[in-house]
Amino acid sequence: MHILISNDDGYLSQGISALADALRCYAQISVVAPDKNRSAASNSLTLDMPLRATVCDNGFVRVDGTPTDCVHLAITGLLAHEPDMVFAGINHGANLGDDVLYSGTVAAATEGRFLGLPAVAISLASSDAKHFDTAAHVAVTLLKKMQRQPLPEDTLLNVNVPDVPIAELKGYLSTRLGQRHKAEAVIQSADPRGKTIYWVGPPGAEQDAGPGTDFDAIRNGYVSITPLQLDLTRYERLSGLRDWLAMEIQG
């Protein structure tokens, strides 16, 4: 098996090294990752300039682009042999609930799934992540499971791991995405020349975070595994939308 590994924290991150070390024991690996931190890059592709890929001393390939760029390049011609699967991570921090809309880690996995490969995004759910060996253990466990029972073609996994020693994991739960409150306000400041600048504020606190959500699983010490799909169509609303469109507009 040939596994492509990418992330959004950059090719020098502790998480991607831990993931590569764990998976290379079970498969051929290729690591193609951004040359710097690209957190919150979402599914962006670089279309207005060429991309450069450089092979590093450890064999990792760094790309001056987004996580999606990295996976797209790797699968569509950068690598001599197309991979069989994509793992993105290990992210330094959680990707829970609404986070998946912005996450470069999830975007890397999404691009792999979009291009036809099984894909997993894995994150260590802590702002001060320490137990990367735990997340790597979870990645290996899921790899073995997927080898025995492949995922449906329309599914990718968003995995969040509590930042605890392996022995303290409570288990694995199938979860849905929770939801956060509205993001905090932007932070206004000034540059050295006195011009106004803005920093994007922190994400909102948990809102929909009860039993069954990814937030609740992590809070209680379980690995959260959420199945995601590429098709964003809300099928149960199609008939209602048809009725709405058919109604005469009163002016």
Side-chain angles (χ1 to χ4, degrees):
M1 174 169 281
H2 179 197
I3 299 176
L4 170 64
I5 297 174
S6 193
N7 73 350
D8 70 356
D9 292 314
Y11 77 104
L12 292 175
S13 75
Q14 184 179 352
I16 203 168
S17 294
L19 183 60
D21 289 343
L23 295 184
R24 68 163 46 97
C25 297
Y26 301 90
Q28 174 191 350
I29 65 165
S30 296
V31 178
V32 183
D35 61 350
K36 59 185 177 183
N37 191 311
R38 297 279 187 158
S39 295
S42 190
N43 298 87
S44 56
L45 276 172
T46 301
L47 302 177
D48 60 348
M49 63 182 66
L51 296 166
R52 292 173 174 80
T54 304
V55 181
C56 305
D57 292 340
N58 63 356
F60 290 8
V61 178
R62 70 175 191 265
V63 176
D64 59 346
T66 68
T68 301
D69 288 331
C70 293
V71 174
H72 190 91
L73 261 64
I75 295 175
T76 61
L78 179 66
L79 301 180
H81 302 287
E82 184 174 304
D84 303 299
M85 185 180 299
V86 175
F87 269 80
I90 301 166
N91 191 62
H92 294 224
N95 277 306
L96 300 167
D98 308 340
D99 300 342
V100 301
L101 297 174
Y102 305 101
S103 168
T105 303
V106 176
T110 299
E111 187 67 11
R113 181 67 276 177
F114 180 70
L115 294 175
L117 303 181
V120 176
I122 185 163
S123 304
L124 192 54
S126 171
S127 58
D128 185 24
K130 294 183 176 66
H131 296 282
F132 289 98
D133 58 326
T134 302
H137 168 78
V138 170
V140 168
T141 300
L142 293 175
L143 170 63
K144 293 178 178 179
K145 176 68 173 176
M146 292 168 68
Q147 287 177 317
R148 295 192 304 270
Q149 295 175 281
L151 289 171
E153 291 186 359
D154 63 347
T155 302
L156 64 107
L157 299 182
N158 183 46
V159 181
N160 283 273
V161 182
D163 191 16
V164 298
I166 296 172
E168 295 182 18
L169 288 178
K170 298 287 185 62
Y172 296 73
L173 290 178
S174 174
T175 59
R176 65 176 177 86
L177 296 177
Q179 190 174 4
R180 296 184 184 276
H181 285 282
K182 180 181 177 181
E184 300 294 328
V186 296
I187 301 167
Q188 183 175 323
S189 185
D191 69 14
R193 292 179 174 81
K195 293 186 176 181
T196 301
I197 57 175
Y198 299 91
W199 294 94
V200 172
E206 300 173 11
Q207 181 181 34
D208 176 9
T213 66
D214 46 6
F215 287 106
D216 188 67
I218 289 297
R219 188 165 49 246
N220 288 289
Y222 289 88
V223 177
S224 165
I225 305 178
T226 303
L228 304 179
Q229 64 181 15
L230 300 184
D231 184 353
L232 300 180
T233 307
R234 192 166 184 179
Y235 287 96
E236 70 274 18
R237 293 289 182 264
L238 282 174
S239 61
L241 180 59
R242 279 192 291 266
D243 294 340
W244 181 80
L245 291 169
M247 288 190 301
E248 181 179 353
I249 298 176
Q250 302 296 323

